[in-house]
Amino acid sequence: MSQGAVYVYGIIAAADAASVSHTGVEGSPVRTIDEGDLAALVSDVAGGALAAAREVRAHWRVLEAASAQATILPVRFGTVMEDDAAVREQLLGVNAPRLEALLKELAGGVQVGVKGIYHQDDLLRGVVAASPTVAALRKKIEGLPEEASYYERIRLGELVAAEVERRREEDGARARAQLEPLAVATRAEGAGTPDVAFNLAFLVERERLDEFTAAVNDVIAQLGDHIDVRYVGPLAPYSFADIELAAEAA
């Protein structure tokens, strides 16, 4: 038991605590703090500022290692609490009903991410080929000075943006139609950049991961001529563990 500050990674069922063994932030071994049916994954820290880039990777590695063996509720990076007693009382104790319900809801599930990135040149060629209006306006302003075709260029940009959005909705729907039947739940994540066709998070039962991976390969076969499909996982269920705990601000 530590008498000093502890870094918190996530929460698991106490029955799964023995399955977790890893090195965490500042190179400290990960251990568990139990309270009833819950356990927090923690490691001891000096209490100073964390070197973010290195320690973020350590944080993720602990959660990934734990999620391979158990259902885990991730806690926000940088959560440091005063001592073991604070973890028991302020994190596990007061939040026990919510945490236990979430662990039950997510039991046996892991998160996988499927992100589609457009091949920009292929996308624009497809837009022009699919829209006679875009093709005609593009041809009209070719070779004209920017000043003389200012409003036409604005209109062309609007038309292209609308067509790209239509294709994004269509491609995203095709991906979801293939993958959602194999998932417990789905979340649409933020696109981030204009070249993103879709950015989806799926909660998948561990025993169906191979089946889900095969379905992702089918999506790649269908969309790979114009979209680079990136598949990441299995991960801890970051997008599905909707917990905002008072202790996370500690």
Side-chain angles (χ1 to χ4, degrees):
M1 174 175 174
S2 170
Q3 297 302 315
V6 290
Y7 183 97
V8 186
Y9 302 90
I11 296 121
I12 60 176
D16 294 329
S19 66
V20 179
S21 177
H22 208 71
T23 299
V25 301
E26 297 182 348
S28 298
V30 174
R31 58 188 179 86
T32 58
I33 298 173
D34 294 3
E35 176 67 19
D37 293 330
L38 299 171
L41 294 183
V42 306
S43 61
D44 301 322
V45 290
L50 298 174
R54 182 183 70 232
E55 306 304 2
V56 164
R57 289 193 294 271
H59 180 92
W60 274 66
R61 283 195 298 268
V62 170
L63 290 174
E64 288 173 7
S67 67
Q69 305 296 329
T71 301
I72 183 165
L73 305 178
V75 171
R76 183 180 302 158
F77 170 75
T79 298
V80 177
M81 302 192 70
E82 183 178 3
D83 53 23
D84 288 18
V87 173
R88 288 193 178 93
E89 296 166 11
Q90 300 170 28
L91 177 62
L92 300 178
V94 298
N95 295 293
R98 291 180 61 205
L99 295 173
E100 290 172 0
L102 265 174
L103 283 171
K104 183 176 181 180
E105 180 183 334
L106 300 175
V110 292
Q111 179 169 324
V112 292
V114 182
K115 188 174 186 177
I117 309 292
Y118 281 119
H119 305 160
Q120 286 285 10
D121 292 342
D122 293 337
L123 173 63
L124 292 176
R125 279 195 293 269
V127 166
V128 172
S131 173
T133 303
V134 169
L137 187 54
R138 186 167 180 264
K139 184 174 182 179
K140 176 182 177 182
I141 65 177
E142 279 181 356
L144 291 177
E146 285 194 23
E147 298 81 2
S149 58
Y150 176 77
Y151 293 106
E152 286 85 353
R153 290 177 188 275
I154 291 177
R155 177 59 178 156
L156 178 61
E158 293 172 344
L159 291 172
V160 169
E163 181 62 21
V164 168
E165 185 58 31
R166 185 193 67 78
R167 291 171 70 93
R168 181 178 287 118
E169 291 177 1
E170 182 179 279
D171 291 329
R174 290 174 68 184
R176 293 180 74 136
Q178 286 282 109
L179 301 175
E180 279 188 329
L182 301 174
V184 177
T186 307
R187 292 281 177 87
E189 308 282 42
T193 57
D195 60 347
V196 172
F198 48 82
N199 188 14
L200 304 171
F202 297 91
L203 184 67
V204 180
E205 295 173 353
R206 281 190 186 86
E207 57 266 31
R208 301 196 74 180
L209 272 174
D210 288 344
E211 189 180 359
F212 189 88
T213 300
V216 173
N217 288 330
D218 289 340
V219 171
I220 293 171
Q222 292 178 21
L223 304 178
D225 61 330
H226 64 291
I227 293 177
D228 177 22
V229 179
R230 302 174 186 177
Y231 180 33
V232 180
L235 306 169
Y238 300 96
S239 299
F240 302 93
D242 294 325
I243 52 174
E244 281 293 334
L245 307 174
E248 290 184 353

